[in-house]
Amino acid sequence: MTAAPPVPPPVPLSRNRDYRLLWGGQALSEFGFHSALIAFPLLVLALTGSGAASGLVMGTIAAAQMVAGLPAGVLVDRYDRKAIMLGCEAAQAVSAISLVAAVWAGAATVWHMVAVAAVFGASAALFEPAESASLPALVADEHLPTAVAMNTARASMGQLAGTATGGFLFAVGRFVPFLVDAVTHTLSFVVLLFVRLPRRERPTGGAGPLGREALAGLRWVWRERRIRVTVVCAVVLNLFFSAYYLVVIVLAESRGVPSGEVGVMAAMLGVGGVLGALVAPVLHRRLGAYGGIIAVFWALAVLAPVTVLMDSGYLIGVLFALIALFPPTANTAIMTEQLLRTPDELRGRLTSTLVLACGAASAAGPALGGSLAQALPGDRALLLCSAGMAAAAVLATLSPTLRTLSRRHESGRPATAG
C-alpha cells in the first residue's frame, strides 16, 4: 500500500495573489469612501447652510447600513459573493459619478445626496459580509488570523488617510472628493475582476423568504454558545468604549482643552488602532483567543480611569493610543473563531449579525455616555464607565465558554448548520 503524497504547505499571505488583490483593491476603495464621507457634511453645509440637512445625509448612510444589514447576510449566503462585491463597487462608483456631475453643473440637491448616501450605506452593508465570508476560501485556516488583522489595519489606515485627505480635496473643489471616490471604486472593481474566488455549491433546500432566512441565521448564532458569547463580547466592548469616548470629550471640553488637542486625541486613537492591527497577529499567536479577548477588556478597565488625572489633550491622546492597541487583537480572535466555527452557508448572516449588533452598540454608546455626562460630573461619569468596563472584564475572565475558544473541532471543520 503506497503512502499518500505529502500535502503541500499553504501559500503564505505574502504570496497569496488573490488575497493581495482583494486587500489592495479595498485599500483604494476605503480611502475613497472616507474621503467622500468627510466631504458629505461640508458639501451640504456649503450648498444649504443647514445643519439639519447635513445630519439627514449622514444619518442616511448609517440608516441604510442598519436596514440592509440582515437581508444583506441572506443575499451573501444565497448568491455568488464575488458578483455581490462587484455590484457594490459598481453601484458606489456610478452614484459618486452622478454626484460629481451634479455638483459640477450646479444642480446638486439634498435629496440627490440622500440617495447617494443610501447607496453607500447599503453597499457597505452588502460588501462587508461578502468579503468576510469569502476569506476562509481565499486563505488557509492558519493564515486566517493574520488576514483578519490585516483587513482591520487596512480599514483603520483607509479611515485615517481618507478623513485627513477629504477636507483638503474639498478645498480644491467641492466635487473632487467624490471624483476620487468614483475613481477608487472603479479601480477596485477592475482589481476584483481578477480575484479567483472558488465556486461555492448552491445552498440546498431552495431559497426561502429573506425575513425567514435572516431569522434562521439569528437563531443559529444564538444557539451556538461560543458564537453567542463572542458576539456579546464585541457588543459590550463597542457599547462601553463609545460611551467612554464621548464622556472623555465632554470632560476635556469642560477642562478647557483646546479643540486642536481634541483633534489630536482622535487622531491618536486611529494611530493606535493601526499599530494594534499590525501587531495583532503576533499577540493573537502569543495570547490565544481567550487571552486576546480578555486583554482588551482589562486594558480598558485599567487605563480608562487614568483619564480622570489628565488635563492635557496630548497625554489623553497617548492613553487613547495605548487603549487602541488591544481591540484589533480581540477582533482578530473573535472573527477567526466565528468564521472557522460557522458553516459556509451561514457566514454571510454571521457577519451581518455581528455588524448590526456592533453598529447598534456603537450608536447606543454615545447616547449612554451623553446621559451620564448630563446627569453626573465629568469625573464621576468617567469612573462609572470604567466601573462598567471592570465588571465586564471580570465576567469575561471568569467565563468558562471563553476559555474553550482555542479548542478546534477535531475534524478541523466547522460544525454543520443542522
Side-chain angles (χ1 to χ4, degrees):
M1 184 175 180
T2 58
V7 178
V11 177
L13 288 185
S14 60
R15 291 193 285 112
N16 188 325
R17 168 190 175 274
D18 297 304
Y19 174 75
R20 287 189 291 116
L21 284 174
L22 180 60
W23 194 94
Q26 281 311 289
L28 288 172
S29 182
E30 288 176 0
F31 170 79
F33 175 81
H34 287 289
S35 295
L37 195 64
I38 195 65
F40 254 127
L42 299 176
L43 178 62
V44 178
L45 289 172
L47 294 178
T48 68
S50 169
S54 180
L56 173 65
V57 173
M58 296 304 293
T60 298
I61 297 178
Q65 283 184 280
M66 295 288 286
V67 171
L70 288 180
V74 177
L75 296 175
V76 165
D77 288 334
R78 183 185 293 181
Y79 299 113
D80 183 88
R81 288 166 180 166
K82 179 177 175 180
I84 288 174
M85 290 189 282
L86 286 168
C88 291
E89 294 291 8
Q92 290 179 92
V94 170
S95 61
I97 289 172
S98 75
L99 189 56
V100 169
V103 174
W104 180 270
T109 65
V110 170
W111 294 114
H112 186 177
M113 287 182 275
V114 166
V116 172
V119 172
F120 279 20
S123 296
L126 270 165
F127 194 100
E128 186 168 354
E131 183 187 20
S132 294
S134 300
L135 273 185
L138 289 177
V139 304
D141 286 0
E142 54 263 50
H143 296 151
L144 191 57
T146 303
V148 170
M150 290 303 296
N151 282 7
T152 302
R154 181 194 72 200
S156 297
M157 289 187 290
Q159 183 176 8
L160 272 176
T163 302
T165 307
F168 170 76
L169 294 175
F170 187 83
V172 175
R174 292 177 177 176
F175 67 91
V176 175
F178 304 100
L179 178 61
V180 169
D181 186 46
V183 171
T184 55
H185 281 299
T186 301
L187 291 174
S188 180
F189 177 91
V190 173
V191 169
L192 189 56
L193 286 172
F194 294 94
V195 174
R196 297 171 300 200
L197 193 61
R199 186 177 297 275
R200 300 167 55 231
E201 293 184 8
R202 298 280 297 187
T204 58
L210 281 176
R212 185 186 304 168
E213 291 194 39
L215 288 176
L218 286 173
R219 284 194 296 268
W220 187 87
V221 169
W222 184 254
R223 285 198 310 265
E224 293 294 317
R225 183 165 48 92
R226 294 183 180 91
I227 302 293
R228 181 176 70 244
V229 170
T230 53
V231 170
V232 170
C233 285
V235 168
V236 170
L237 284 171
N238 277 271
L239 176 68
F240 275 123
F241 184 77
S242 299
Y244 161 74
Y245 180 73
L246 184 65
V247 171
V248 171
I249 298 299
V250 173
L251 183 61
E253 291 285 347
S254 69
R255 291 180 173 179
V257 175
S259 58
E261 292 186 26
V262 174
V264 171
M265 288 161 48
M268 290 298 289
L269 189 65
V271 171
V274 172
L275 294 177
L278 294 177
V279 301
V282 177
L283 291 178
H284 182 267
R285 284 194 297 270
R286 296 194 173 214
L287 299 176
Y290 169 69
I293 292 172
I294 65 168
V296 68
F297 276 105
W298 282 111
L300 284 169
V302 172
L303 294 176
V306 179
T307 316
V308 173
L309 306 175
M310 295 181 174
D311 291 321
S312 167
Y314 299 116
L315 289 179
I316 296 175
V318 172
L319 191 67
F320 274 4
L322 290 174
I323 290 174
L325 281 173
F326 292 96
T329 300
N331 177 69
T332 297
I334 289 171
M335 284 301 300
T336 301
E337 292 289 331
Q338 290 178 341
L339 287 173
L340 290 178
R341 293 183 183 276
T342 304
D344 181 69
E345 65 268 21
L346 287 169
R347 282 176 177 149
R349 277 167 282 184
L350 165 74
T351 306
S352 64
T353 299
L354 183 63
V355 170
L356 189 63
C358 290
S362 296
L368 173 63
S371 299
L372 291 175
Q374 182 73 23
L376 300 170
D379 291 355
R380 292 184 183 178
L382 195 147
L383 290 175
L384 188 58
C385 281
S386 302
M389 295 175 192
V394 170
L395 292 175
T397 304
L398 297 177
S399 169
T401 301
L402 289 181
R403 291 177 182 274
T404 68
L405 287 185
S406 295
R407 301 175 189 169
R408 294 284 186 265
H409 296 286
E410 290 182 4
S411 66
R413 297 181 181 180
T416 59

